[in-house]
Coordinates of all heavy atoms in Angstrom, one line a residue:
V102 N -42.6 -0.3 28.7 CA -43.9 0.4 28.4 C -44.1 0.4 26.9 O -45.2 0.1 26.4 CB -43.9 1.8 29.0 CG1 -45.2 2.5 28.6 CG2 -43.7 1.8 30.5
D103 N -43.1 0.7 26.1 CA -43.2 0.8 24.7 C -41.9 0.3 24.0 O -40.9 1.0 23.9 CB -43.4 2.3 24.3 CG -43.7 2.4 22.8 OD1 -43.5 1.5 22.1 OD2 -44.0 3.6 22.4
P104 N -42.0 -1.0 23.6 CA -40.7 -1.6 23.0 C -40.3 -0.9 21.7 O -39.2 -1.2 21.3 CB -41.2 -3.0 22.8 CG -42.4 -3.3 23.6 CD -43.1 -1.9 23.7
N105 N -41.2 -0.1 21.1 CA -40.8 0.5 19.8 C -40.6 2.0 19.9 O -40.7 2.7 18.9 CB -41.9 0.2 18.8 CG -42.1 -1.3 18.5 OD1 -41.1 -2.0 18.3 ND2 -43.3 -1.8 18.7
Y106 N -40.3 2.5 21.1 CA -40.2 3.9 21.3 C -38.9 4.4 20.6 O -37.8 4.0 20.9 CB -40.1 4.3 22.8 CG -40.3 5.7 23.1 CD1 -41.6 6.3 23.1 CD2 -39.2 6.5 23.5 CE1 -41.8 7.6 23.4 CE2 -39.4 7.9 23.8 CZ -40.7 8.4 23.7 OH -40.9 9.7 24.0
E107 N -39.1 5.2 19.5 CA -38.0 5.4 18.5 C -36.7 6.0 19.1 O -35.6 5.5 18.9 CB -38.5 6.2 17.4 CG -37.4 6.4 16.3 CD -37.9 7.0 15.0 OE1 -39.1 6.7 14.6 OE2 -37.2 7.8 14.4
S108 N -36.9 7.1 19.9 CA -35.7 7.8 20.4 C -34.9 6.9 21.4 O -33.7 7.0 21.5 CB -36.1 9.1 21.0 OG -37.0 8.9 22.1
A109 N -35.7 6.0 22.1 CA -35.0 5.1 23.0 C -34.3 4.0 22.3 O -33.1 3.6 22.6 CB -36.0 4.5 24.0
L110 N -34.9 3.5 21.2 CA -34.2 2.5 20.3 C -32.9 3.1 19.7 O -31.9 2.5 19.6 CB -35.1 2.1 19.2 CG -36.2 1.1 19.6 CD1 -37.2 0.9 18.5 CD2 -35.6 -0.3 20.0
L111 N -33.0 4.4 19.3 CA -31.8 5.0 18.7 C -30.7 5.1 19.7 O -29.5 4.8 19.4 CB -32.2 6.4 18.2 CG -31.1 7.2 17.6 CD1 -30.5 6.5 16.3 CD2 -31.6 8.6 17.2
L112 N -31.0 5.6 20.9 CA -30.0 5.7 22.0 C -29.5 4.3 22.4 O -28.3 4.2 22.5 CB -30.6 6.4 23.2 CG -29.6 6.6 24.4 CD1 -28.4 7.4 24.0 CD2 -30.4 7.2 25.6
S113 N -30.3 3.4 22.5 CA -29.9 2.0 22.8 C -28.9 1.5 21.8 O -27.9 0.9 22.1 CB -31.1 1.1 22.9 OG -30.7 -0.3 23.1
G114 N -29.3 1.7 20.5 CA -28.4 1.2 19.4 C -27.0 1.9 19.4 O -26.0 1.3 19.2
R115 N -27.0 3.2 19.7 CA -25.8 3.9 19.7 C -24.9 3.5 20.9 O -23.7 3.3 20.8 CB -26.0 5.4 19.8 CG -26.5 6.0 18.5 CD -26.9 7.4 18.6 NE -26.8 8.1 17.3 CZ -27.4 9.3 17.0 NH1 -28.1 9.9 18.0 NH2 -27.3 9.8 15.9
I116 N -25.5 3.2 22.1 CA -24.8 2.7 23.2 C -24.2 1.4 22.9 O -23.0 1.1 23.2 CB -25.7 2.7 24.5 CG1 -26.0 4.1 24.9 CG2 -24.9 1.9 25.6 CD1 -27.0 4.2 26.1
A117 N -25.0 0.5 22.3 CA -24.6 -0.9 22.0 C -23.4 -0.8 21.0 O -22.4 -1.5 21.2 CB -25.7 -1.7 21.4
A118 N -23.5 0.1 20.0 CA -22.4 0.2 19.0 C -21.2 0.7 19.7 O -20.1 0.2 19.4 CB -22.9 1.1 17.9
R119 N -21.3 1.6 20.6 CA -20.2 2.2 21.3 C -19.4 1.1 22.1 O -18.2 1.1 22.2 CB -20.6 3.3 22.2 CG -19.5 4.0 23.0 CD -18.7 4.9 22.1 NE -17.8 5.7 22.9 CZ -17.1 6.7 22.4 NH1 -17.2 7.0 21.1 NH2 -16.3 7.4 23.1
E120 N -20.2 0.2 22.6 CA -19.6 -0.9 23.5 C -19.3 -2.1 22.7 O -18.8 -3.1 23.3 CB -20.6 -1.2 24.6 CG -20.8 -0.1 25.6 CD -21.5 -0.5 26.8 OE1 -22.6 -1.1 26.7 OE2 -21.0 -0.2 27.9
G121 N -19.5 -2.1 21.4 CA -19.1 -3.2 20.5 C -20.2 -4.3 20.5 O -19.9 -5.4 19.9
D122 N -21.4 -4.1 21.0 CA -22.4 -5.1 20.9 C -23.2 -4.8 19.6 O -24.3 -4.2 19.6 CB -23.4 -4.9 22.1 CG -24.5 -6.0 22.1 OD1 -24.5 -6.8 21.2 OD2 -25.2 -6.0 23.1
L123 N -22.6 -5.3 18.5 CA -23.1 -4.9 17.2 C -24.4 -5.6 16.9 O -25.2 -5.1 16.1 CB -22.0 -5.3 16.1 CG -20.7 -4.6 16.3 CD1 -19.7 -5.0 15.2 CD2 -20.9 -3.1 16.3
D124 N -24.7 -6.8 17.4 CA -25.9 -7.5 17.2 C -27.1 -6.7 17.7 O -28.1 -6.5 17.1 CB -25.9 -8.9 17.8 CG -25.0 -9.8 17.0 OD1 -24.7 -9.5 15.9 OD2 -24.6 -10.9 17.6
T125 N -26.9 -6.2 19.0 CA -28.0 -5.4 19.6 C -28.1 -4.1 18.8 O -29.3 -3.6 18.6 CB -27.6 -5.1 21.1 OG1 -27.6 -6.3 21.8 CG2 -28.6 -4.1 21.7
A126 N -27.0 -3.4 18.4 CA -27.1 -2.2 17.7 C -27.9 -2.4 16.4 O -28.8 -1.6 16.0 CB -25.7 -1.6 17.4
A127 N -27.6 -3.4 15.6 CA -28.2 -3.7 14.4 C -29.7 -4.0 14.6 O -30.6 -3.5 13.9 CB -27.6 -4.9 13.7
G128 N -30.0 -4.7 15.6 CA -31.4 -5.0 15.9 C -32.2 -3.8 16.3 O -33.4 -3.6 15.8
D129 N -31.6 -2.9 17.1 CA -32.3 -1.6 17.4 C -32.5 -0.7 16.2 O -33.6 -0.2 16.0 CB -31.5 -0.8 18.4 CG -31.5 -1.5 19.8 OD1 -32.5 -2.2 20.1 OD2 -30.6 -1.2 20.6
F130 N -31.5 -0.6 15.3 CA -31.7 0.2 14.1 C -32.7 -0.4 13.1 O -33.4 0.3 12.5 CB -30.3 0.4 13.5 CG -29.3 1.1 14.3 CD1 -27.9 0.9 14.2 CD2 -29.7 2.1 15.2 CE1 -27.0 1.6 14.9 CE2 -28.8 2.8 16.0 CZ -27.4 2.5 15.9
R131 N -32.7 -1.7 13.0 CA -33.6 -2.4 12.1 C -35.1 -2.1 12.6 O -36.0 -1.9 11.8 CB -33.3 -3.9 12.0 CG -32.1 -4.2 11.2 CD -32.2 -5.7 10.8 NE -30.9 -6.2 10.5 CZ -30.1 -6.9 11.3 NH1 -30.5 -7.2 12.5 NH2 -28.9 -7.3 10.9
K132 N -35.3 -2.2 13.9 CA -36.6 -2.0 14.4 C -37.1 -0.6 14.1 O -38.3 -0.4 13.8 CB -36.6 -2.2 16.0 CG -38.0 -2.3 16.6 CD -37.9 -2.7 18.1 CE -37.5 -4.2 18.2 NZ -37.7 -4.6 19.7
I133 N -36.2 0.4 14.2 CA -36.6 1.8 13.8 C -37.0 1.8 12.4 O -38.0 2.4 12.0 CB -35.4 2.8 14.1 CG1 -35.2 2.9 15.6 CG2 -35.8 4.1 13.5 CD1 -33.9 3.7 16.0
L134 N -36.2 1.2 11.5 CA -36.4 1.2 10.1 C -37.7 0.5 9.7 O -38.3 0.8 8.7 CB -35.2 0.7 9.3 CG -34.0 1.6 9.4 CD1 -32.8 0.8 8.8 CD2 -34.2 2.9 8.6
Q135 N -38.1 -0.5 10.5 CA -39.4 -1.1 10.2 C -40.5 -0.2 10.3 O -41.5 -0.2 9.5 CB -39.6 -2.3 11.1 CG -38.7 -3.5 10.8 CD -38.8 -4.6 11.9 OE1 -39.6 -4.5 12.9 NE2 -38.1 -5.7 11.7

Side-chain angles (χ1 to χ4, degrees):
V102 177
D103 184 354
N105 298 309
Y106 196 75
E107 183 171 322
S108 60
L110 284 169
L111 179 62
L112 178 58
S113 173
R115 283 174 159 164
I116 291 173
R119 182 74 171 185
E120 295 192 309
D122 185 356
L123 301 179
D124 290 341
T125 296
D129 288 338
F130 295 152
R131 286 196 202 100
K132 192 174 287 189
I133 293 173
L134 290 170
Q135 287 175 359

